[in-house]
Amino acid sequence: MSLQIDENGRLRHLLDLATLPVTAMDALLRRAQAFADGAQVSDALSGRAVCTLFFEPSTRTRLSFQLAAQRLGAQILNFDASTSSATKGETDLDTFRNLQAMGVRGFVVRHKADGAVAALAQATAPGVAIINAGDGRSHHPSQGLLDMLTLRQAKGEDFSKLKVVIVGDVKHSRVARSDLHALRALGCGEIRVCGPATLLPDDDTLHGCTVTGDFDAALNGVDVAMMLRLQRERMVEGLVASLDDYHRDYGLTAVRLRRAAADAIVMHPGPMNRGIEITDEVADGPQSWVLRQVANGVAVRMAVLEAVLS
Ligand code: CP
């Protein structure tokens, strides 16, 4: 039994997509699509306090969770590590326990350490739910879900003939890992992964994928190009020769995009390094679904909060 599913088979926490049953993933995606279609918003979380507990910066994830919680009637607390007693040495666990003691029932947690969010889930009182908003390089499940919702909207629910390429800094990307788990679970026909060898993981992350360093070849005929942010803040020196070289070899330009299927879509989790992994003309062009991903983030996060807290 995974920590995120309770003894009755219900979603207790959302920690990762690797151990999330495909039925639970599908149910969240269907509920999120209903919210995206304008389903009547209930007061499912009325009177409940939800805290966004972020130990790393965020724009999209934090604010869309806040908006999602507000739309469901919750009270929102926004914890900012840089202005909190964490700066005086208070531990993450003590911080969490204090907020739990105040009556917070939902925690949306981002942390730089792999496994830190699941560790908090081990310390929850009954009725308290943890949602992983990104831990280290490991998991970003709500991003993976919103990416799958976007793919369903663009390409339909049958992924069996879909060709997807994930491009760039896979080594440091929790988004790529969550997308890979979800794409496999939903039966994606072909997953290609492309990047310089220094930015590809050397564990079993890429099992079942076609792996190449040749971006032009990797783009041929794909239905979806998922571009990743070059995570310079997580890198040690020397993984990329220079940003110019990276852009030349792995930057998605309009010319390069012509190698993909004519109706291919381009995705990026944000924030984008414009001019490095993606050009303005692609990011803002007709094949870009980047802002649709962001819009879907609110719907997915409503579905997740409702599932674990109502
Ligand atoms: N995609 C994503 O996680 O963006 P933020 O870091 O802005 O939340």
Side-chain angles (χ1 to χ4, degrees):
M1 183 67 66
S2 106
L3 186 58
Q4 56 190 348
I5 303 291
D6 72 12
E7 62 277 11
N8 299 313
R10 291 172 53 119
L11 193 65
R12 162 123 201 250
H13 308 289
L14 181 68
L15 302 175
D16 62 69
L17 299 185
T19 64
L20 188 71
V22 69
T23 48
M25 195 182 299
D26 184 62
L28 288 169
L29 291 172
R30 289 189 189 286
R31 185 63 174 147
Q33 184 59 56
F35 282 130
D37 289 339
Q40 184 73 32
V41 176
S42 67
D43 268 353
L45 305 192
S46 178
R48 308 228 174 173
V50 172
C51 179
T52 53
L53 186 60
F54 276 50
F55 297 92
E56 269 195 342
S58 166
T59 296
R60 281 149 289 272
T61 311
R62 186 200 281 271
L63 293 175
S64 58
F65 264 116
Q66 288 178 352
L67 198 53
Q70 279 167 0
R71 288 191 180 163
L72 294 169
Q75 301 163 326
I76 311 297
L77 287 85
N78 182 24
F79 170 89
D80 176 2
S82 67
T83 56
S84 75
S85 289
T87 60
K88 303 174 205 166
E90 188 163 36
T91 67
D92 300 345
L93 186 56
D94 278 338
T95 302
F96 169 71
R97 282 180 174 149
N98 277 268
L99 290 164
Q100 193 172 241
M102 289 176 203
V104 174
R105 288 294 166 260
F107 290 87
V108 180
V109 187
R110 173 169 286 190
H111 205 287
K112 64 178 180 302
D114 297 290
V117 182
L120 289 184
Q122 301 273 10
T124 52
V128 173
I130 300 277
I131 297 168
N132 186 351
D135 66 312
R137 305 174 180 190
S138 294
H139 303 287
H140 195 344
S142 64
Q143 179 73 43
L145 289 171
L146 74 88
D147 287 346
M148 295 309 109
L149 184 65
T150 305
L151 277 185
R152 280 188 170 187
Q153 291 169 354
K155 300 293 173 188
E157 289 190 14
D158 180 2
F159 287 5
S160 64
K161 293 192 172 55
L162 214 54
K163 295 188 186 104
V164 176
V165 64
I166 300 178
V167 186
D169 185 3
V170 182
K171 189 183 190 104
H172 300 99
S173 178
R174 54 199 176 206
V175 174
R177 285 177 177 78
S178 287
D179 281 341
L180 284 166
H181 289 306
L183 286 167
R184 288 191 195 105
L186 296 174
C188 182
E190 184 180 342
I191 309 173
R192 303 177 191 173
V193 172
C194 178
T198 50
L199 294 183
L200 297 180
D202 51 12
D203 51 22
D204 70 347
T205 302
L206 304 183
H207 72 84
C209 302
T210 305
V211 182
T212 177
D214 182 341
F215 188 22
D216 290 327
L219 271 173
N220 280 336
V222 293
D223 304 297
V224 182
M226 293 179 145
M227 305 306 296
L228 297 175
R229 181 171 71 89
L230 195 60
Q231 299 197 28
R232 286 177 280 175
E233 77 277 19
R234 290 188 214 278
M235 276 187 195
V236 294
E237 290 296 312
L239 291 182
V240 172
S242 76
L243 295 181
D244 285 344
D245 286 353
Y246 186 84
H247 178 67
R248 182 195 64 218
D249 295 339
Y250 298 103
L252 185 57
T253 63
V255 170
R256 266 204 170 116
L257 185 53
R258 287 192 214 128
R259 291 177 172 272
D263 61 350
I265 67 164
V266 176
M267 298 169 67
H268 191 300
M272 293 185 281
N273 293 307
R274 288 172 178 264
I276 300 178
E277 70 262 5
I278 193 167
T279 60
D280 289 339
E281 60 187 344
V282 175
D284 305 327
Q287 288 168 271
S288 172
W289 280 58
V290 173
L291 292 179
R292 178 72 83 94
Q293 289 172 265
V294 177
N296 283 334
V298 179
V300 159
R301 286 158 180 148
M302 288 174 75
V304 170
L305 285 165
E306 184 185 63
V308 297
L309 281 172
S310 68

